Amino acid sequence: MLKILRQKAGAARAVVLSSRNYSASAKQMTVREALNSALDEEMSADHRVFLMGEEVGEYQGAYKVTKGLLQKYGPERVVDTPITEAGFTGIGVGAAYYGLRPVVEFMTFNFAMQAIDHIINSAAKTNYMSSGNISVPVVFRGPNGAAAGVGAQHSQCYAAWYGAIPGLKVLSPYSSEDARGLLKAAIRDPDPVVFLENELLYGESFPVSEEVLDAGFSTPIGKAKAAEILAKDGIDAEVINLRSIRPLDRSTINASVRKTNRLVTVEEGFPQHGVGAEICASIVEDSLVISTLQSRGSLGQMSQCRMLLTLNEWLFRRL
Amino acid sequence: MAQLTQRAATFQRTLSAAAVSSTRCLSTASTSPITVETSLPFTGHKIDPPSRSVETTPQELLSFFRDMALMRRMEIAADSLYKAKLIRGFCHLYDGQEAVAVGMEAAITRKDCIITAYRDHCIFLGRGGTLLESFSELMGRKDGCSKGKGGSMHFYKKEGGFYGGHGIVGAQVPLGCGLAFAQKYSKDENVTFAMYGDGAANQGQLFEALNMAALWDLPAILVCENNHYGMGTAEWRAAKSPAYYKRGDYVPGLKVDGMDALAVKQACKFAKSMPSRMDQLFSKWTPTGIMDTLCLILEAPIVRVMRLVVSD
């Protein structure tokens, strides 16, 4: 059975850890430390990078991800904001317009819904609408998905929502290596990135190699990672840790499905219109041979309010 | 309508007063300074307003006239193109409000930033945009300032300090405060003018941004262009308190006659020079572009400058 893991699920985590080879010299690092060190190194390397969010400074981070950074970089670069997501997200995006590289923290992505207009309309679409005149190098990060019994309003997974938006990159790291590499790549990226962490993973420890610990390390965005080959209970499965929701690594997924002819998608988000649904659609389009099935073509390509009728016609004629 | 007629009568009086009281002899190329009184006094909120006497030159007045007339003609032409269905989608026009764009430009540099909502064609011109770029963008052509991908509401010119062109009402105000944040962070000695309408003045994110801008002492100036309509809804039906310049509460505000380019210039110069970099809330009275039907008021900002130029 093929399992595609987008986020840690309890069983998968145990399986992956048990089958790792521990070398004596491999350092253990928690996801929290990985994120903290990535932020620290990127802030040190580029003065334009700054942090803003609730409790990021004096409180040392709501989940202690930004611990020590206020002391090291000062209040100009680690900015505690009032509890006003729409306002401070807009301010972060405006700072990115000017050329700074803000990292905006949401205490959870549930609260980012208050700011979602700025994430999508002010950040994601601006590079396109300005035809490259204004780029928006902002990172929106924070815990996403379920925590430990925090209730319906604090537990939603937003991967599918943000994953649908052209102009955004959406990342979902699993291990410490993922967290470090992808956060560094996100901060260095010239476009807006939504970085979906998970509160339950912050305290989890993973081995990291010397390469991962290097300040210059980063993980290319858009590549899934083949995880372990499971031999548990006689199940032979390829496990793919997606890591990147947008761009989705369709080639890796399709190659694996074509090899095994089986697919299981696992996600925390709501199933309808979810990431798993998109993976299935990708398989149907790219790997299944059904002669009567028409491709979705360019439906939904980035084209906001088109002012020119003929371009609209051209886009819709491709259906 | 009665209110508009009353204002028209007031303007007729102030126009004649300005013309009669001047003892100028203007030569078009002259750069010798002259002093003109603004037609209406400023009203301050938690601040002493600037003087009504504005320093200008004949050359500047002529440039005001030329720029405002150009903007007016561009907007009227855009209106015709829109009705001919050569411009599709939205087309929000700025005719009647030109004095704000022109007066502001006279007080600031291209290193200061301006961000506005979707009524952005003339601001774009003021920031160094060309007519070709404007009309091409409106008609969706690749020579447009956004290569045809933005349209009427998404003109940008980052190299001229113009950050758009925003379609979501009120979003530009936190973005503008972000620009000011970045200016302060980068230690640039410049300011950001975040413009919005009286409709956007009721938006919550405006007050969120205002709170942070005041808290962090950002070089942001919030400019409310009050044309008494928020989309199609009249001000009295949308706002409990129409004194937008007071809405900043702990933030000083200034009420400015938006029909008077020189008053706008004076106010912007005053705001920019505030030593403690307080952000301010302006309230400018201007009529709407598309909806106003009283020709005298539409003409007033340009005619006023014209009278100053030609009087002797």
Side-chain angles (χ1 to χ4, degrees):
Chain A
M1 280 227 296
L2 175 71
K3 282 187 184 165
I4 296 180
L5 288 175
R6 184 186 58 76
Q7 282 200 12
K8 166 212 69 90
R13 174 178 52 131
V15 168
V16 169
L17 286 178
S18 67
S19 59
R20 278 186 189 274
N21 292 323
Y22 288 102
S23 106
S25 60
K27 185 172 178 257
Q28 290 285 318
M29 187 184 245
T30 62
V31 171
R32 181 180 287 112
E33 287 163 349
L35 296 168
N36 185 279
S37 60
L39 289 169
D40 190 353
E41 286 159 22
E42 294 305 306
M43 286 180 78
S44 173
D46 188 344
H47 181 72
R48 297 170 300 176
V49 178
F50 72 97
L51 310 184
M52 64 191 305
E54 296 155 14
E55 315 297 359
V56 295
E58 287 193 7
Y59 197 81
Q60 306 296 305
Y63 303 98
K64 306 296 180 244
V65 172
T66 53
K67 186 171 175 185
L69 297 177
L70 173 68
Q71 286 83 322
K72 189 166 176 186
Y73 296 103
E76 289 86 27
R77 297 188 69 192
V78 181
V79 181
D80 277 324
T81 65
I83 311 174
T84 50
E85 276 79 4
F88 72 68
T89 306
I91 287 179
V93 174
Y97 283 3
Y98 194 79
L100 299 187
R101 304 186 85 95
V103 178
V104 178
E105 176 175 310
F106 295 113
M107 201 176 285
T108 75
F109 267 91
N110 300 281
F111 315 130
M113 283 202 284
Q114 303 220 310
I116 203 166
D117 175 61
H118 281 296
I119 297 173
I120 294 177
N121 283 322
S122 303
K125 296 181 182 173
T126 294
N127 190 44
Y128 176 84
M129 292 191 300
S130 69
S131 196
N133 189 232
I134 303 202
S135 76
V136 193
V138 63
V139 175
F140 304 106
R141 56 160 289 273
N144 175 57
V150 292
Q153 291 179 340
H154 288 67
S155 303
Q156 190 166 333
C157 171
Y158 292 88
W161 283 26
Y162 292 119
I165 309 300
L168 278 185
K169 290 175 180 139
V170 182
L171 302 175
S172 188
Y174 164 57
S175 64
S176 299
E177 177 182 333
D178 290 345
R180 237 181 91 79
L182 290 175
L183 185 55
K184 280 164 162 293
I187 292 172
R188 297 175 197 176
D189 199 281
D191 294 321
V193 180
V194 171
F195 195 83
L196 304 172
E197 303 159 2
N198 187 286
E199 194 210 320
L200 297 172
L201 269 178
Y202 284 150
E204 288 298 318
S205 220
F206 296 86
V208 285
S209 66
E210 283 302 314
E211 189 205 351
V212 172
L213 291 171
D214 184 67
F217 174 72
S218 83
T219 303
I221 290 174
K223 286 266 145 259
K225 188 172 158 192
E228 306 303 307
I229 307 288
L230 300 178
K232 185 178 182 272
D233 297 331
I235 295 170
D236 182 18
E238 281 190 1
V239 180
I240 297 178
N241 171 11
L242 268 185
R243 307 194 297 185
S244 175
I245 307 296
R246 188 178 181 99
L248 196 61
D249 192 347
R250 295 174 203 276
S251 53
T252 299
I253 297 167
N254 277 282
S256 184
V257 171
R258 286 180 195 183
K259 189 166 130 198
T260 63
N261 287 318
R262 282 160 178 80
L263 168 71
V264 172
T265 71
V266 179
E267 69 189 288
E268 248 189 290
F270 300 129
Q272 188 169 334
H273 308 299
V275 178
E278 176 61 28
I279 291 171
C280 292
S282 172
I283 308 280
V284 166
E285 282 174 359
D286 297 338
S287 295
L288 292 194
V289 181
I290 301 174
S291 56
T292 54
L293 194 71
Q294 204 171 18
S295 166
R296 285 182 305 171
S298 67
L299 181 68
Q301 286 295 320
M302 168 58 120
S303 153
Q304 63 340 324
C305 176
R306 287 302 315 152
M307 300 302 180
L308 184 62
L309 203 61
T310 54
L311 188 54
N312 249 340
E313 286 166 5
W314 175 78
L315 281 166
F316 286 109
R317 217 178 277 133
R318 293 182 68 189
L319 290 176
Chain B
M1 205 55 191
Q3 201 186 19
L4 285 171
T5 315
Q6 199 180 23
R7 280 210 189 84
T10 313
F11 273 128
Q12 272 180 310
R13 284 198 293 276
T14 52
L15 275 174
S16 341
V20 162
S21 68
S22 65
T23 53
R24 293 168 292 278
C25 180
L26 298 180
S27 152
T28 55
S30 168
T31 51
S32 53
I34 54 174
T35 306
V36 179
E37 281 262 299
T38 63
S39 38
L40 293 175
F42 300 102
T43 314
H45 166 72
K46 301 208 168 147
I47 197 162
D48 289 328
S51 153
R52 281 177 74 174
S53 301
V54 186
E55 289 260 315
T56 183
T57 67
Q59 191 182 53
E60 183 176 65
L61 284 177
L62 202 63
S63 79
F64 278 7
F65 174 73
R66 200 190 61 239
D67 291 341
M68 286 164 67
L70 186 77
M71 289 173 179
R72 177 63 62 91
R73 295 292 296 275
M74 176 179 81
E75 295 295 76
I76 303 285
D79 188 36
S80 306
L81 287 171
Y82 186 78
K83 288 176 172 135
K85 295 199 196 295
L86 287 164
I87 296 174
R88 309 307 300 270
F90 290 116
C91 190
H92 302 93
L93 299 176
Y94 202 72
D95 49 321
Q97 299 180 209
E98 304 89 349
V100 177
V102 161
M104 189 181 288
E105 282 299 333
I108 66 178
T109 70
R110 292 278 163 81
K111 292 222 177 325
D112 297 312
C113 302
I114 297 182
I115 193 169
T116 187
Y118 44 72
R119 212 174 289 279
D120 57 348
H121 310 157
C122 300
I123 310 280
F124 171 72
L125 276 194
R127 293 264 91 186
T130 64
L131 286 178
L132 178 69
E133 284 174 325
S134 294
F135 282 115
S136 301
E137 188 58 39
L138 288 172
M139 292 191 278
R141 308 301 170 109
K142 63 178 166 66
D143 295 314
C145 53
S146 302
K147 313 257 188 327
K149 295 185 181 180
S152 166
M153 299 192 287
H154 304 294
F155 285 24
Y156 300 88
K157 199 169 193 67
K158 185 169 177 177
E159 55 278 15
F162 181 51
Y163 288 83
H166 293 273
I168 306 295
V169 170
Q172 74 277 16
V173 178
L175 293 171
C177 293
L179 293 171
F181 180 96
Q183 286 174 317
K184 185 174 178 184
Y185 188 99
S186 311
K187 303 200 177 1
D188 296 342
E189 294 287 312
N190 301 116
V191 301
T192 295
F193 287 81
M195 304 173 74
Y196 62 99
D198 52 298
N202 300 313
Q203 279 259 320
Q205 57 185 320
L206 190 151
F207 294 94
E208 292 186 16
L210 186 78
N211 174 49
M212 284 182 269
L215 200 59
W216 301 332
D217 203 23
L218 302 182
I221 297 157
L222 275 56
V223 180
C224 176
E225 295 182 278
N226 181 3
N227 58 22
H228 303 287
Y229 278 85
M231 298 195 298
T233 299
E235 177 190 47
W236 65 271
R237 295 179 62 225
K240 184 73 179 172
S241 160
Y244 300 106
Y245 70 110
K246 289 186 185 171
R247 291 266 197 106
D249 184 19
Y250 40 82
V251 169
L254 200 62
K255 184 171 172 177
V256 182
D257 176 14
M259 299 272 86
D260 184 346
L262 291 169
V264 173
K265 175 189 164 185
Q266 181 82 322
C268 292
K269 228 167 128 176
F270 175 70
K272 191 178 161 176
S273 70
M274 293 296 298
S276 57
R277 297 286 204 194
M278 282 184 291
D279 44 333
Q280 294 194 332
L281 207 60
F282 282 45
S283 180
K284 299 183 200 281
W285 185 88
T286 58
T288 61
I290 262 184
M291 295 188 219
D292 194 90
T293 54
L294 195 54
C295 290
L296 177 68
I297 297 176
L298 274 176
E299 285 298 313
I302 300 178
V303 169
R304 182 172 316 178
V305 172
M306 191 176 76
R307 284 181 184 234
L308 287 169
V309 168
V310 302
S311 68
D312 52 24

